[in-house]
Amino acid sequence: MLPRVNSAAIRRLNMVRVFHALRENPNCAQRDLSRLTGLDKATTSAIVARMIEEGLVERSEAPRARRIGRPETALGIAPSAGLLVGARLEPGTIRIVATTLAGTVVEQSQIPGSTDLATALRRLHEGIDAVVAASRPEDGAAPPPLRGIGIGIPALMDREGRLVLAPNLGWRDTPIRPLLEEALGAPVHVDNDTKAAAMAERLFGACRGVEDFVYLTGHSGVGGGLFLGGRLYRGAQGFAGEIGHLTVVPGGRPCGCGKRGCLETYVSETSILAQAGERGRVLPDLWAAAAAAREGDPVLRTLLEEAGSHLGFALSHLVNLANPGLVVLGGNLSIVAAFILPALNAALDEHALEPLRRDLRLVVSPLGPDAVPMGGIALAMDGFLSVPSPIL
Amino acid sequence: MLPRVNSAAIRRLNMVRVFHALRENPNCAQRDLSRLTGLDKATTSAIVARMIEEGLVERSEAPRARRIGRPETALGIAPSAGLLVGARLEPGTIRIVATTLAGTVVEQSQIPGSTDLATALRRLHEGIDAVVAASRPEDGAAPPPLRGIGIGIPALMDREGRLVLAPNLGWRDTPIRPLLEEALGAPVHVDNDTKAAAMAERLFGACRGVEDFVYLTGHSGVGGGLFLGGRLYRGAQGFAGEIGHLTVVPGGRPCGCGKRGCLETYVSETSILAQAGERGRVLPDLWAAAAAAREGDPVLRTLLEEAGSHLGFALSHLVNLANPGLVVLGGNLSIVAAFILPALNAALDEHALEPLRRDLRLVVSPLGPDAVPMGGIALAMDGFLSVPSPIL
DNA sequence: GCGAATTAGATAGACGGTCTAACAAATCGA
DNA sequence: TCGATTTGTTAGACCGTCTATCTAATTCGC
């Protein structure tokens, strides 16, 4: 059943618009918010007054003089209004960030992970407590309340937020959200790490204001986050974006999914290192692979070129189907971006339709390794603002 | 700039909900509308009263007795409230339907098409006039007003509704909507034929109530209509869904797009007939191809099996990326569906991820050749209801 | 037959949004 | 000091939905 649309819904919707306008334009005046949101200045006045009353927004002390007329007062999301926590849960490490409600990072940490569910959750819990404790304001004022927690996990999550399968962690069918919510005592949002990272790029990274883009990342597998028509797209079951299992070489390298020739047997960090090993180059990680390529090692050069070619071929399918305006290379892919991009672009030229290819922009993620935990922040922010989903 | 969200917007939104609930459940009572839309019965009462006042809805004369209590009065979209016209514009033929606002067909016709722009538009104009004239009620009452016209064209249309390129018609960069609107004197909506057909399946066909599905069709090319997250998805430039140009055989048959091995060089009506000819079977159309296959012709059997295999391979990419819950085979593909489905399913089994494949339903379009003109109706209906786009 | 029960639908009033229009506030420039 | 200019507030109109109550029309039990 669709949520009811009544005056409460429209108030929330307009409040969220004002919030994001203010988040993206810190220290702007009420007048600017009117222009940005399209709301009448009287409406803006009412909404801002309410947000100030709720402690969500604060006025700067000093009015800013303009050329002529009454000076404007700058507004901003109050740092004391609350704290959001984002986390990235991986087998080896857990990365945690704390931000203001506006998404400004105030604290971060990295702790060891675990493939044991109880251990991982305990460490996550302790890590979050520590980060929140460290986020206390210096002047000894009351700590901002924890408003929400968002966590990105390398796992298939269904549309209800249930963990279906996490091969790297060895977990399956785990009601991870309730487990965490009970332990942490704040609203918890859990999502696939790539989808979370895509949200981060949209709110804080390279895709601000972009309505249709694709986020690509590659660790143990290759994941795609589809942001389509102004929303993160999840698919009928919540599994959309599985670009890593497109068949790029029929009958090719065997994949963990049981098929052969999947993209991620050629392009993920794991598979690139494996292939390097097969060709006599034992390397610890992609940084080493990038270093070797930078020094001119022909094996790595060729390997990364092949990877770029396969990725470009798979990406061309996505481009022809979804016609995104922007593709972001993120995660570990950004480490080797310089060496895969030429072949990737060539493959796109060869396989993507010209009018779709022509207007396609391709960028390397500015968030880098922070994309997933910041995606947790994005999830938590969305949850805090909690717009009933079918609206906007 | 996003449209303003105010009380007028929420009224329209709720009115549209009531309209669609009533369209999908003809002769239901006001009480049922409340349940279907989630609106309070008082709200429903107000909305229905207003729609009756506007002539959009009418009450049936006879109240329907229930087991106990006051009998309910059946409601329906008034046939006299207006007429919608949908058309399919092809080089050879123009197909036109007229329906009530509820989408009930009241008249249809088929006239010759033309690749000359002026001729085609003139014939379309005359054909629509004729169909509208023939739709007069038998009792000699005033004819319902023409509320909108929707047209599906085999063309790349940009997001502003401008015709960018129509290879089969030989048109490019044509402001077709203004041309038609001036001539026809009613709101005109023009869109890609496949996207229109997908809308028809959603409103009137196999996809009623389905939020994420893919519509596939194949005439001169192979097109895909993506309906994602409850909306027709257009992509950054409006070109989304070009499944026909996925590379399925690297270095394969040359395609009109300049590349090689595109899906549509194996699966479209044109290419199937061409391949049949190369193998010594000269056939006029897909009906003949289906007939030959039905009679056991091994050449056609093999050919269609290969087509199914290629289509399934390309579709597996779409499934892995978009995770649709339903795939509809429409247009000319439905003619040969019986002979391509086994290989198509096998290719999906081989190349689509198991959890995504498992819950995927595949159906043949119930609308068949009417999908495109009914898609025009869907466009016109959407336009008539004109919900500001970012809402719902 | 007749009143109680039951269900559909209408109505009154509360409530809560945004918008228009007028007003108050704060500055610049002459 | 006064008018012009621009920002921000306020009063009131307007228009939605929602709650609560009322009316209408029927069946059921007796």
Side-chain angles (χ1 to χ4, degrees):
Chain A
M1 179 74 74
L2 294 167
R4 293 188 176 189
V5 182
N6 48 25
S7 36
I10 89 178
R11 179 171 78 83
R12 173 133 47 171
L13 182 58
N14 285 332
M15 192 269 274
V16 171
R17 281 191 186 174
V18 168
F19 182 91
H20 281 297
L22 197 46
R23 184 181 61 76
E24 288 170 359
N25 303 79
N27 295 316
C28 72
Q30 208 163 289
R31 183 69 220 262
D32 302 320
L33 291 179
S34 288
R35 276 192 274 255
L36 288 163
T37 58
L39 296 166
D40 190 88
K41 61 177 182 167
T43 309
T44 310
S45 176
I47 290 175
V48 167
R50 189 160 189 152
M51 291 172 92
I52 289 175
E53 196 181 336
E54 288 171 0
L56 207 59
V57 166
E58 61 186 16
R59 292 194 151 88
S60 80
E61 298 304 317
R64 270 190 318 221
R66 300 178 46 84
R67 261 189 49 75
I68 195 176
R70 172 175 167 173
E72 57 188 24
T73 53
L75 300 171
I77 311 281
S80 62
L83 223 51
L84 299 174
V85 165
R88 171 184 190 171
L89 202 60
E90 295 245 300
T93 60
I94 297 172
R95 196 173 165 78
I96 302 172
V97 301
T99 73
T100 64
L101 286 184
T104 308
V105 176
V106 293
E107 200 64 46
Q108 46 190 314
S109 78
Q110 189 159 336
I111 55 180
S114 170
T115 53
D116 177 64
L117 181 64
T119 308
L121 294 191
R122 183 173 45 75
R123 289 190 185 154
L124 181 64
H125 187 168
E126 291 167 4
I128 290 176
D129 283 350
V131 162
V132 169
S135 304
R136 290 172 157 281
E138 292 172 6
D139 56 7
L146 180 55
R147 298 291 194 175
I149 297 162
I151 298 162
I153 304 191
L156 280 187
M157 305 289 302
D158 70 17
R159 299 200 64 143
E160 278 68 47
R162 184 181 174 84
L163 188 153
V164 176
L165 180 66
N168 303 340
L169 289 156
W171 305 345
R172 68 162 60 224
D173 291 324
T174 308
I176 194 159
R177 204 182 69 87
L179 284 173
L180 284 167
E181 205 150 56
E182 193 183 1
L184 293 164
V188 171
H189 305 85
V190 186
D191 210 334
N192 170 273
D193 53 354
T194 306
K195 290 190 174 65
M199 286 294 292
E201 293 291 347
R202 160 75 175 181
L203 288 185
F204 313 116
C207 309
R208 267 173 279 196
V210 180
E211 298 292 286
D212 304 282
F213 71 87
V214 171
Y215 176 84
L216 293 178
T217 182
H219 297 270
S220 59
V222 178
L226 273 48
F227 197 91
L228 305 180
R231 311 189 282 200
L232 185 67
Y233 176 66
R234 294 196 144 81
Q237 299 158 267
F239 302 157
E242 284 297 331
I243 193 174
H245 295 283
L246 294 200
T247 305
V248 293
V249 180
R253 295 172 65 88
C255 179
C257 75
K259 303 189 294 158
R260 283 188 162 270
C262 290
L263 174 67
E264 71 178 40
T265 62
Y266 297 91
V267 179
S268 68
E269 167 151 22
T270 312
S271 64
I272 287 175
L273 297 179
Q275 289 176 89
E278 291 166 15
R279 301 185 194 183
R281 300 290 193 280
V282 178
L283 299 166
D285 54 30
L286 274 189
W287 295 104
R294 202 170 296 116
E295 285 161 18
D297 183 333
V299 169
L300 265 298
R301 286 278 174 119
T302 306
L303 191 52
L304 292 174
E305 193 181 313
E306 289 170 9
S309 183
H310 289 311
L311 183 58
F313 180 56
L315 188 53
S316 78
H317 295 336
L318 186 43
V319 169
N320 287 340
L321 290 170
N323 185 21
L326 178 63
V327 171
V328 185
L329 290 183
N332 289 8
L333 288 179
S334 58
I335 300 169
V336 290
F339 304 102
I340 65 175
L341 270 172
L344 192 159
N345 275 310
L348 277 178
D349 290 339
E350 187 179 346
H351 296 290
L353 278 176
E354 201 274 327
L356 285 73
R357 168 71 178 108
R358 191 179 40 212
D359 288 349
L360 179 70
R361 285 193 303 132
L362 224 149
V363 302
V364 176
S365 161
L367 297 176
D370 288 329
V372 178
M374 285 308 288
I377 297 294
L379 295 173
M381 189 183 292
D382 249 30
F384 171 67
L385 298 172
S386 74
V387 191
S389 68
I391 301 192
L392 196 81
Chain B
M1 180 74 77
L2 293 167
R4 292 187 176 190
V5 182
N6 49 25
S7 39
I10 90 178
R11 178 171 78 84
R12 171 126 47 167
L13 182 59
N14 285 331
M15 193 270 274
V16 170
R17 281 189 185 176
V18 168
F19 181 91
H20 280 297
L22 197 46
R23 185 181 62 76
E24 289 170 0
N25 303 78
N27 294 317
C28 73
Q30 207 163 290
R31 183 70 220 259
D32 303 319
L33 291 179
S34 288
R35 276 191 275 255
L36 288 163
T37 58
L39 295 166
D40 189 87
K41 61 176 182 163
T43 309
T44 311
S45 176
I47 291 175
V48 166
R50 188 158 189 152
M51 290 171 93
I52 289 175
E53 196 182 336
E54 288 173 359
L56 207 59
V57 166
E58 62 186 15
R59 295 194 149 87
S60 81
E61 298 304 317
R64 270 189 320 221
R66 298 179 47 84
R67 261 187 49 76
I68 195 174
R70 170 175 169 174
E72 58 188 23
T73 53
L75 299 171
I77 311 284
S80 62
L83 223 52
L84 299 174
V85 166
R88 171 183 190 172
L89 202 60
E90 295 246 299
T93 62
I94 297 172
R95 197 173 164 78
I96 303 173
V97 300
T99 72
T100 64
L101 286 184
T104 309
V105 176
V106 292
E107 200 63 46
Q108 46 188 313
S109 78
Q110 190 159 334
I111 55 179
S114 170
T115 53
D116 177 64
L117 181 64
T119 308
L121 295 190
R122 184 173 44 77
R123 290 192 184 153
L124 181 65
H125 187 172
E126 292 167 3
I128 290 176
D129 283 349
V131 162
V132 169
S135 305
R136 291 173 155 280
E138 292 172 7
D139 56 7
L146 180 57
R147 299 290 194 176
I149 296 162
I151 298 162
I153 305 192
L156 280 186
M157 305 288 303
D158 70 18
R159 298 200 67 141
E160 279 69 46
R162 184 182 174 83
L163 187 153
V164 176
L165 181 65
N168 303 338
L169 289 156
W171 304 346
R172 68 160 61 226
D173 289 326
T174 308
I176 194 160
R177 202 182 71 86
L179 285 174
L180 285 167
E181 205 150 57
E182 193 183 359
L184 292 164
V188 171
H189 306 84
V190 187
D191 210 335
N192 172 272
D193 53 354
T194 306
K195 290 191 174 68
M199 287 295 292
E201 293 291 345
R202 159 75 176 184
L203 288 185
F204 312 116
C207 310
R208 267 173 277 196
V210 180
E211 298 292 285
D212 304 282
F213 70 89
V214 172
Y215 176 84
L216 293 178
T217 183
H219 296 270
S220 59
V222 178
L226 273 51
F227 197 91
L228 306 178
R231 310 189 284 198
L232 185 67
Y233 177 65
R234 293 196 146 81
Q237 299 158 267
F239 302 157
E242 285 295 331
I243 192 175
H245 294 282
L246 295 201
T247 305
V248 293
V249 180
R253 296 173 65 87
C255 180
C257 75
K259 305 189 294 159
R260 284 187 162 271
C262 291
L263 174 67
E264 70 179 39
T265 63
Y266 297 91
V267 178
S268 68
E269 166 152 22
T270 311
S271 64
I272 287 175
L273 297 179
Q275 288 174 91
E278 290 167 13
R279 301 185 195 183
R281 299 289 193 279
V282 178
L283 298 167
D285 54 28
L286 274 190
W287 297 102
R294 204 169 294 115
E295 285 161 20
D297 183 333
V299 170
L300 264 298
R301 287 277 173 122
T302 306
L303 190 52
L304 292 174
E305 191 182 315
E306 289 169 9
S309 183
H310 289 311
L311 183 57
F313 180 56
L315 188 54
S316 78
H317 295 336
L318 187 42
V319 169
N320 286 341
L321 290 170
N323 185 22
L326 178 63
V327 171
V328 185
L329 290 184
N332 290 8
L333 289 178
S334 57
I335 300 170
V336 291
F339 304 102
I340 65 176
L341 271 173
L344 193 159
N345 274 309
L348 279 177
D349 290 339
E350 187 178 345
H351 296 292
L353 278 176
E354 202 275 327
L356 285 73
R357 167 73 178 107
R358 191 177 42 213
D359 287 348
L360 179 69
R361 285 193 303 130
L362 224 148
V363 300
V364 177
S365 161
L367 297 176
D370 289 329
V372 178
M374 285 307 289
I377 298 293
L379 296 173
M381 189 184 292
D382 249 31
F384 172 67
L385 298 172
S386 73
V387 193
S389 70
I391 302 194
L392 194 81

